[in-house]
Amino acid sequence: MEWLTEMRENGLALIAEIDSIDSLEQVRVELLGRKGKLTTQLRGLKDLPDDERPKAGAALNKLRQEYEVLIEERKTSFAAQKEATLADGCDLTLPSVAPVTPGNRHPLTSVINEICDIFYGMGFSREDGPDVELDYYNFTALNFPDDHPARDIQDTFYINDKVLLRTQTSPAQVRIMEQQTPPLAVIVPGRVYRNEALDASHVAEFFQIEGLYVGKDVSLADLKTTVLQFVTQFYGDDVITRFRPHFFPFTEPSVEVDMQCMACHGDGCNVCGKTGWLEIMGAGMVHPNVFKAAGYDSDKYTGFAFGLGIDRIAMLKHAIKDIRYLYENDLRFLSQFRSVR
Amino acid sequence: MNISLNWLKDFVTWDCSVEELAEQLTLVGLNVEEISDFVREYPGVVVGYVETCQQHPDADKLSLCTVNNGESVSQVICGAANVKAGMNIVFAQTGALLPGGFKIKKAKIRGVESFGMICSESELGLAVKSDGIMELAPDLKPGTSIDELFGYKDTVLDVEVTPNRPDLLSHLGVAREVAAITGSLLNTPEVWSPPKAGKEAVDFTVEIEEFADCSRYTAHLARDLKVKQSPQEMINRLTAVGLRPINNVVDITNYVMFELGQPLHAFDLNKISGNRLFTRKSKGGEKFVTLDGVERELTDQDLVIADSIGSVAVAGVMGGQRSEVDEDTSDLLLESAYFNPSLIRKTSRRLQLQSDSSYRFERTVDWENVDFAAKRALYLLQKNADAHVVSNFVDRQDPDRAELNTVPLRVEQVNRLLGAEITTIEVVDILASIGLKSKLLGQASDRKSVTGQLMVTIPSFRRDIFIEVDLIEEVARIYGFNNLKIESNFRSGTGVKRRECDQVLDKAADYLTGSGFSEIITSSFVSLENVHNLGIVEGDYRFEMMRIHNPHHGGETLLRTTMIPSMLDTVRRNINADAEIPVKLYQVNSVFLPSLKLEHELRHEDEKLLPLERKVLQFAIAGKEEQAHHSLPMVLMELKGIVEQLSIDMGEQLVIMPGGDEPYYQKGLQFILSNSAGDNIGSMGLVSRSVLSKYNIDFPVSIVELDLGKFGLNVPTVKFVNYSRYQASTRDLSLIAPETVSYKSIIEAVEYSAGKLLVDVEMFDIYKGKNIPSGSVSLGIRLKFQSTKSSLKSKAVDVAINKVTERLSGTLGVTIRD
Ligand SMILES: [Zn+2]
């Protein structure tokens, strides 16, 4: 008697939704009233075949009792609530005397902190690099030849021929290698700048996190291990990823890491641009020319580097459709992130 | 880069679905960003036969025709002059759908009904403009669908080609990758080959000024050709990949560029003066009209192609109008060359003129392909333009050109870098699949080992491969990144602790957010006007700001030396958006100050060009116009309290001293903040009314700024101090103090004189006015006494109080009220 099971579940759901004495009465009428569902069914018993009728009748009566008990319980609890509310003439439902309403961190800061925490656990320490950077560190030392189209990937703000606003957090790689000796494991969050036309997914200032690991016999498989550890901790165990070859002048081999779109599970939707995949980071093995610039022997050391776009991660996580919300600093936006840890 | 699958099929085959092909290409590094169907169809459009054609009774320029569609005859009005009876035409019947979504309906024109339309080429989307209607071959059967003649279906892949892979900017290049994936054979296109005998002399020379600028230049002559429309298939393919068909000659140069990756240029031979071309630098200051009709000024850094009069092309970027191929062209000179990539890039950027041609030249073209592509174009010129190709040609090459074409590869290094165990023979096979031949150095038995040594020959189309790691990348991408095992035992390290500066920031953020402040992130850019508005003028170190050389259109142009404008701006916008008052915000961002670095501190000599980046913690309250005790602004006193508490949280006795002369704070309502070492580390104040009015803020605003680099670091570990378990005793004193005496000095006098038993002093009341002598203030203070050794005797407290009152009246003129 499938119809009976379904009917019971629907009825129980209605009872669960009761949130006031008024809605309780409404539900009672709907379930048990003279024109209610149960009564209608009981009246319809006579149309059933002889062998089914007694069984169905018994079941319906049992259900009526169940409904009655449940509704009565709810009624009692509402009455008790009402009594407590106005006991001794005190209306405790009046507004609380509010303490200071707390503020909260910016969602980008929270994402940076969350990512850093994961990498702290993996032995990476945090470093900084300057926003205003030499062309040398931003490009030349990272194996971007002069007058090479690779530089077009990033539209650069220049102060003069030698000084620019970093277009990526990667220049910190060579700076850090100049100061430390392997093995080293660092992450560098920071603001980067691109001279791009502004739209829903582009702003001139945004945030990245760079990662660098250098040691002896560090391999691409190690990079994969690290990336997957991060992805599992940040996005969850059931995330599907893929590694796809790409090009960055300062790593070789270079990869981009994609994650299967959480919104459509790979079928393609607006979130992922119909591809079923979301690009989550660029990575690769440190290019020998970068080691050379840092004064490292690339036969002795190998390493990997990776970079993540913080804004995109925050946007995906919090379903923010337009990047500009992140920088308008409107409290109607900011205050929504109180519960972010 | 758009790739037509119909076109791709000329070179390679595959038997998987388009989606699978796209996925496979993506996984070897040719990211397919979009798969789209290119469909051109003409529902309801058929071949029609014009049975009769008369003049419209009421319009001179219209004809009244009867058109047979193979089944029935309809009356159609046509406006074209070339329509006549007995023609086969393109007939769009009522209900037909033309490109652009134009639907054919029954119409009444000047009183006569018309059932459909006779179409021109432009109405079918086959030409940009057309004179009159299209005449079809007489042998076509009326009723035949136009789709059979002009319809086209294709699938187009939009692939992301990275700057290191110019070879993929062509259908043949992509076909090579497909062949590597599928193992299919690669076809090569048909080309013109010079006749073996009876060679004609070529009456033309090319002079190359600097081989460094142009290391190869071929020039072929094609004569007696006919400029007309290209064959339909070529038009279809060009359209599918997003090019605009123009005429057979221009189309062929574009077609070959998209097919083989080599840009070509066709000059009208008869518009070239003399029989010599020069590739040389422009003389500079030269005005030159490019094909797009724009006059451009060239510098002596720009490479040009010139004849005896002057430039005929900006080399590799765009041809000139003077030598343009047009409908009357009969003879042409076909250029195929290799130009210096960075030279082309500089010119293209300076002229802000990026063409499909410059895009390829600046990424490096295939040196060997220069000749092959020319011959492909000549073949097509013969076929599509009836050209006579002169059998001899010019091929100038840099005689000293030396190209690296072998690169050694250690299989051991492949495995070391990839964390894999790929055998030598597997590596050899992988490389062979993408056209890289390798020779085994050492013994044949090494083939099965994972440590063989190879010498790999690099074909001319892969000159992005210079060093071993370039080859390792090739092995990795074909082997498949997703096929590499994950070493689960890899540990990048054990957990590390946050840096002290991050801990300080976190602690401060915890306190501030708990106290109602929300974090904002503001731009590093600032305008001069904003800084002026604060009253910061020349002479102030913050007036020296770095200027962005190429600012965003309409954007701010300076790097900020202060975060005050951004805070005020954010406060204003939130107040205007009806935010609840008080608005409490904080930010941690950098300001960019003139560098103070000394020469010996620089790691790189240019470091002195960099600013001093200071990380500043700033927080602000915009509140109601309320007053705290003694008429002090509430927002300022509240902020002072926050700073005091924050200071305790940071374990640092921040010294908050009244004073400072920040131009944007109100005079007398500001503080200097210093750390225990005495360093000035920040300021606090009430923003002056004149500054607020420039920001249109009607609420009082107080702001604090702290240099995070000098705040809260090196806090000693807390050491517990035992507290007294004996009863404390409190005494209240009512004081009358002259207004000139500060609260701070009173408290200091109390602490100085009360002795060791005093544990706390606090103010509980302040009053001025009625019953208080003018020029004085009434203060209530509460003193708390306690001993660690015993219960206090009232007498001991009396002694202390006496000392206090004596001190207060003796040194400060403060009296006790009865
Ligand atoms: Zn999706």
Side-chain angles (χ1 to χ4, degrees), chain B residues 159 217 229 275 277 279 366 375 420 471 507 546 559 562 594 597 710 714 735 741 744 776 782 795:
Chain B
V159 297
Y217 196 104
Q229 186 170 308
N275 55 1
L277 280 185
T279 69
D366 174 357
K375 286 174 175 160
L471 287 169
K507 178 113 182 168
M546 290 189 126
L559 281 179
T562 165
K597 274 202 180 129
K710 293 181 186 157
N714 304 314
L735 308 177
V741 174
K744 190 181 176 210
S776 294
R782 179 162 298 150
K795 205 181 154 199

Side-chain angles (χ1 to χ4, degrees), chain B residues 5-235:
Chain B
L5 290 191
N6 287 349
W7 199 339
L8 200 60
K9 278 176 197 153
D10 284 0
F11 305 117
V12 76
T13 56
W14 59 91
D15 46 22
C16 56
S17 71
V18 177
E19 286 72 22
E20 278 165 9
L21 181 71
E23 167 86 8
Q24 298 235 37
L25 284 171
T26 298
L27 291 178
V28 297
L30 190 57
N31 189 18
V32 177
E33 294 186 318
E34 201 184 342
I35 303 172
S36 50
D37 288 323
F38 181 90
V39 179
R40 196 176 54 220
E41 38 182 27
Y42 304 99
V45 187
V46 296
V47 174
Y49 176 75
V50 182
E51 290 188 341
T52 64
C53 180
Q54 297 160 336
Q55 200 185 310
H56 187 291
D58 275 334
D60 289 351
K61 291 192 174 163
L62 297 180
S63 307
L64 186 60
C65 309
T66 50
V67 178
N68 188 329
N69 70 355
E71 285 174 358
S72 59
V73 176
S74 320
Q75 172 170 289
V76 180
I77 293 173
C78 180
N82 64 332
V83 64
K84 51 185 190 289
M87 259 171 115
N88 266 348
I89 49 87
V90 177
F91 180 37
Q93 310 172 88
T94 53
L97 201 60
L98 291 181
F102 181 52
K103 197 168 180 181
I104 304 297
K105 293 182 197 135
K106 187 176 88 174
K108 208 168 202 179
I109 302 166
R110 297 261 174 127
V112 182
E113 288 197 309
S114 177
F115 300 85
M117 185 171 108
I118 302 176
C119 303
S120 67
E121 284 173 6
S122 65
E123 280 153 351
L124 292 187
L126 298 175
V128 181
K129 61 180 170 87
S130 39
D131 296 332
I133 55 156
M134 201 169 180
E135 183 167 3
L136 298 176
D139 55 344
L140 288 169
K141 260 181 73 180
T144 308
S145 166
I146 290 297
D147 288 348
E148 285 177 29
L149 303 175
F150 305 115
Y152 185 63
K153 279 189 185 172
D154 201 346
T155 301
V156 177
L157 304 184
D158 183 3
V159 297
E160 177 195 6
V161 178
T162 53
N164 60 325
R165 293 296 304 274
D167 61 303
L168 297 177
L169 294 169
S170 68
H171 282 74
L172 183 64
V174 173
R176 283 196 197 102
E177 295 285 303
V178 175
I181 295 167
T182 61
S184 133
L185 284 176
L186 194 67
N187 301 322
T188 44
E190 284 186 85
V191 296
W192 170 80
S193 51
K196 295 229 166 55
K199 287 198 175 178
E200 304 152 87
V202 60
D203 179 24
F204 210 89
T205 57
V206 174
E207 303 293 333
I208 297 177
E209 189 181 68
E210 283 288 346
F211 280 118
D213 298 343
C214 171
S215 63
R216 188 170 189 185
Y217 196 104
T218 69
H220 287 267
L221 304 185
R223 296 189 184 277
D224 308 324
L225 53 80
K226 177 101 191 60
V227 176
K228 56 184 181 189
Q229 186 170 308
S230 290
Q232 195 58 43
E233 180 66 11
M234 185 177 281
I235 288 178

Side-chain angles (χ1 to χ4, degrees), chain B residues 30 161 231 237 308 329 471 549 577 619 639 649 703 759 771 809:
Chain B
L30 190 57
V161 178
R237 289 181 176 188
S308 62
T329 301
L471 287 169
H549 172 72
F619 47 103
L639 204 60
D649 266 17
I703 301 181
V759 290
N771 300 332
S809 60

Side-chain angles (χ1 to χ4, degrees), chain A residues 25-287:
Chain A
E25 190 50 27
Q26 216 175 330
V27 169
R28 199 191 61 77
V29 171
E30 193 172 340
L31 294 178
L32 303 169
R34 250 186 299 157
K35 288 179 184 165
K37 285 178 182 160
L38 206 78
T39 321
T40 318
Q41 285 292 344
L42 279 167
R43 274 194 211 118
L45 278 178
K46 59 181 187 315
D47 302 330
L48 286 178
D50 285 348
D51 55 334
E52 275 184 33
R53 204 180 299 142
K55 238 169 98 187
L60 282 172
N61 275 318
K62 216 180 123 198
L63 188 55
R64 172 198 280 275
Q65 279 170 14
E66 190 180 358
Y67 283 170
E68 280 169 354
V69 168
L70 284 172
I71 290 174
E72 194 52 36
E73 272 175 11
R74 299 301 296 259
K75 201 171 178 177
T76 321
S77 88
F78 279 121
Q81 250 176 47
K82 196 176 173 189
E83 212 165 285
T85 302
L86 292 174
D88 307 322
C90 299
D91 182 359
L92 294 179
T93 65
L94 283 170
S96 52
V97 177
V100 175
T101 307
N104 50 273
R105 286 177 175 79
H106 193 283
L108 289 174
T109 303
S110 302
V111 168
I112 291 174
N113 288 349
E114 187 182 350
I115 293 174
C116 286
D117 281 347
I118 292 172
F119 282 105
Y120 291 150
M122 292 198 256
F124 286 73
S125 51
R126 182 170 175 168
E127 296 285 348
D128 297 313
D131 287 20
V132 184
E133 189 47 285
L134 295 175
D135 181 279
Y136 172 76
Y137 285 112
N138 196 73
F139 288 128
T140 313
L142 290 176
N143 195 35
F144 283 80
D146 285 345
D147 286 309
H148 190 273
R151 289 187 170 218
D152 290 350
I153 306 170
Q154 298 154 0
D155 294 308
T156 312
F157 283 116
Y158 280 95
I159 305 283
N160 57 44
D161 283 353
K162 288 179 169 172
V163 182
L164 45 75
L165 302 186
R166 65 172 167 191
T167 57
Q168 47 193 356
T169 41
S170 315
Q173 286 185 25
V174 175
R175 281 184 178 274
I176 287 162
M177 284 194 273
E178 282 175 347
Q179 292 169 74
Q180 301 183 14
T181 46
L184 58 89
V186 292
I187 40 166
V188 187
R191 184 189 295 236
V192 300
Y193 302 79
R194 305 250 174 111
N195 193 351
E196 284 178 335
L198 309 182
D199 60 32
S201 44
H202 295 93
V203 284
E205 299 167 67
F206 51 98
F207 288 81
Q208 286 185 344
I209 289 186
E210 190 77 8
L212 176 69
Y213 184 88
V214 181
K216 281 182 184 156
D217 294 325
V218 179
S219 71
L220 189 73
D222 302 338
L223 165 64
K224 272 183 78 173
T225 309
T226 308
V227 166
L228 291 178
Q229 264 184 48
F230 163 74
V231 168
T232 334
Q233 290 192 43
F234 190 81
Y235 290 105
D237 285 331
D238 46 357
V239 162
I240 297 170
T241 52
R242 71 172 185 189
F243 289 72
R244 133 180 94 67
H246 199 68
F247 168 74
F248 305 107
F250 43 99
T251 50
E252 190 163 24
S254 299
V255 295
E256 272 188 341
V257 185
D258 292 342
M259 175 175 79
Q260 196 178 71
C261 179
M262 302 164 283
C264 63
H265 302 285
D267 294 339
C269 68
N270 287 332
V271 176
C272 56
K274 309 260 185 287
T275 61
W277 295 96
L278 295 163
E279 184 193 315
I280 52 171
M281 66 166 94
M285 303 305 293
V286 179
H287 197 284

